[in-house]
Amino acid sequence: GGYAWRLRIDKWQIFLYQCDQGPVPLQRKWAMSGPSLHEDSRPMPSLGLELRLDAVGFTGVDDSVDLTALRHLAQARPWIEWGVLFHPARQGEPRYASQEQLERLGALALEGVRFAAHLCGVDCLRALAGDVEHMRKLHGVLHFQRVQVNPTARNGAGGWDAASASEGLRSIATSFPQVEFILQVNSETQPLLAALFLDPGRPSPTNFAVLFDPSMGTGTLPTSRESPLRGIHCGYAGGLGPDTIITQLREISEACRGYSDSVWIDMETQIRSADGREFDLERCCRVADIVEGAGLVNDIRRSRL
């Protein structure tokens, strides 16, 4: 009813005011995750890490998102990358934006908000097939800077042949040199990783990257973190969220020891409401406070090209 709606508006006004202040003390936003507003004297955690992040990805932007709030947070933290899942069979469901919402997000992209398309289902399979025209159509809607392909059975995109799929992706990458293409790396995509990145006779295109996500988007914490590939832009996902980010940043930093380039992190399941139906900007803001307060995001990478 009207009373509940007013509470929501008042809540977002406070949230937006706080997020627009930049790296203000973490405790000023922690209050937003509880049942009441209060100030806490806990200090911002000092992580003491040498890790450098060029992006923090929050994936699963859907119709539940308040776009005014998203725009304000994106303006305050331009290193945030908003991940949008493409899966024609699930469009409009939680985690998957409707066509109308995609068009609204595309308008934000033209204002400078940073988006990445995460391809699943038929959209992913068409990328593996080298369908340049279909990719051009998707880009015309969201105006993304990066594309992640999720070629797994869980994401409705299994059954491919590594040799032909790698050729399809090479063709797509050549046709979109201004876009970075990301392969989700896990046990199922190892043959594609080898074909694209580990063949000494055929170097990967310069606009290719990898995301180590052994959870395949399920939000499960891995038992260990892989070392990044030398000379390749790398990212990390799997179980990341406001309740795990500090411990996991330490593990990622240890995996990246001796790696001179910056990396990115991405999360999906752990930034949703308890029932999974809503994309939770408050949880995103908690993560953003931690990484910014720890001084890890001073290498903003809008594009590596």
Side-chain angles (χ1 to χ4, degrees), residues 211-244:
L211 178 81
F212 295 109
D213 183 9
S215 77
M216 303 185 195
T218 63
T220 304
L221 284 171
T223 55
S224 63
R225 294 288 182 181
E226 294 190 51
S227 297
L229 301 177
R230 300 292 174 179
I232 302 296
H233 190 205
C234 296
Y236 291 87
L240 300 179
D243 302 322
T244 63

Side-chain angles (χ1 to χ4, degrees), residues 43-290:
M44 176 75 75
S46 176
L47 304 185
L49 304 178
E50 296 183 2
L51 185 69
R52 293 188 301 123
L53 300 178
D54 52 61
V56 176
F58 298 129
T59 294
V61 176
D62 56 17
D63 290 35
S64 69
V65 176
D66 184 316
L67 295 185
T68 300
L70 186 149
R71 178 192 286 111
H72 277 270
L73 186 50
Q75 291 171 345
R77 274 82 180 259
W79 36 265
I80 293 176
E81 179 178 78
W82 305 95
V84 181
L85 292 161
F86 282 76
H87 194 320
R90 304 190 64 179
Q91 193 172 48
E93 297 179 12
R95 302 194 190 207
Y96 304 90
S98 66
Q99 185 63 36
E100 294 77 14
Q101 184 76 329
L102 286 175
E103 292 172 3
R104 289 188 284 265
L105 295 174
L108 288 181
L110 293 176
E111 295 179 14
V113 178
R114 182 176 177 177
F115 287 103
H118 291 232
L119 305 186
C120 307
V122 172
D123 286 332
C124 180
L125 293 174
R126 293 182 74 165
L128 298 184
D131 191 335
V132 173
E133 288 306 312
H134 186 64
M135 186 63 63
R136 186 169 288 116
K137 177 182 176 182
L138 298 181
H139 189 269
V141 174
L142 188 60
H143 310 289
F144 44 75
Q145 297 181 2
R146 302 208 295 169
V147 175
Q148 179 175 312
V149 291
N150 301 320
T152 64
R154 181 185 179 278
N155 286 303
W160 38 265
D161 171 73
S164 60
S166 64
E167 290 304 316
L169 289 177
R170 287 177 184 273
S171 175
I172 291 278
T174 300
S175 299
F176 293 86
Q178 78 283 10
V179 175
E180 186 170 71
F181 289 85
I182 306 161
L183 174 66
Q184 184 191 67
V185 174
N186 47 59
S187 58
E188 192 173 336
T189 63
Q190 286 296 318
L192 196 48
L193 172 72
L196 287 171
F197 296 96
L198 306 181
D199 182 350
R202 295 196 69 191
S204 63
T206 57
N207 57 333
F208 266 30
V210 301
L211 178 81
F212 295 109
D213 183 9
S215 77
M216 303 185 195
T218 63
T220 304
L221 284 171
T223 55
S224 63
R225 294 288 182 181
E226 294 190 51
S227 297
L229 301 177
R230 300 292 174 179
I232 302 296
H233 190 205
C234 296
Y236 291 87
L240 300 179
D243 302 322
T244 63
I245 191 66
I246 293 177
T247 299
Q248 290 304 304
L249 283 173
R250 291 193 175 109
E251 293 195 11
I252 293 169
S253 180
E254 183 61 29
C256 293
R257 184 181 295 275
Y259 182 73
S260 59
D261 292 333
S262 57
V263 298
W264 83 94
I265 57 174
D266 189 87
M267 58 208 75
E268 180 181 335
T269 300
Q270 302 302 327
I271 52 167
R272 300 196 70 81
S273 58
D275 62 6
R277 298 195 60 80
E278 294 190 353
F279 186 92
D280 193 336
L281 283 174
E282 293 174 29
R283 294 181 70 81
C284 295
C285 199
R286 288 170 58 190
V287 173
D289 283 335
I290 292 173

